[in-house]
């Protein structure tokens, strides 16, 4: 099994994710090749000191947006495609210590 911090890249902090945190649903940016089982195991390993149990994991691929080139006459490109996971837990998580 891979390192849990390799699977979970970072938590996503948006207005929607902060609102759903009250329902014990947390949003994370994860690797594109990670599956739901690996994500659940990684979350339980990272937050083991809080005694968290993962109830469900929902995933989605977020397609990269089209970007214009900054130089004159440059070709347009795309921002990278990435994967988002919404993890439902049995208890609240503390994502950041001392905040």
């Amino acid at each position: 099994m891979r390192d849990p911090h390799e699977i979970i890249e970072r938590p996503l902090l948006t207005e929607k994710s902060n609102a759903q945190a009250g329902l014990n649903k947390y949003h994370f940016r994860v690797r594109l090749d990670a599956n739901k089982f690996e994500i659940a195991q990684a979350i339980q390993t990272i937050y083991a000191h809080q005694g968290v149990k993962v109830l469900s994991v929902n995933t989605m691929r977020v397609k990269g947006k089209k970007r214009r080139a900054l130089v004159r006459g440059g070709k347009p490109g795309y921002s990278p495609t990435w994967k988002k996971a919404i993890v439902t837990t049995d208890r609240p998580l503390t994502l950041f210590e001392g905040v």
Side-chain angles (χ1 to χ4, degrees), residues 5-61:
H5 294 284
E6 184 180 327
I7 296 170
I8 307 295
E9 294 178 359
R10 63 185 169 93
L12 296 174
L13 299 176
T14 62
E15 289 183 28
K16 184 175 184 177
S17 67
N18 288 336
Q20 288 189 347
L23 303 172
N24 295 338
K25 292 185 178 188
Y26 299 93
H27 299 217
F28 296 94
R29 182 173 175 159
V30 297
R31 289 180 54 107
L32 274 173
D33 59 349
N35 59 34
K36 292 182 180 186
F37 180 74
E38 288 177 331
I39 295 168
Q41 292 294 324
I43 294 295
Q44 288 182 355
T45 304
I46 292 171
Y47 296 103
H49 64 281
Q50 295 182 21
V52 68
K53 181 180 176 188
V54 174
L55 301 178
S56 69
V57 177
N58 297 326
T59 61
M60 63 197 77
R61 291 174 62 110

Side-chain angles (χ1 to χ4, degrees), residues 65-79:
K65 295 180 182 179
K66 188 171 184 178
R67 299 287 183 204
R68 295 185 306 182
L70 296 177
V71 295
R72 188 170 189 171
K75 294 182 180 177
Y78 289 88
S79 60

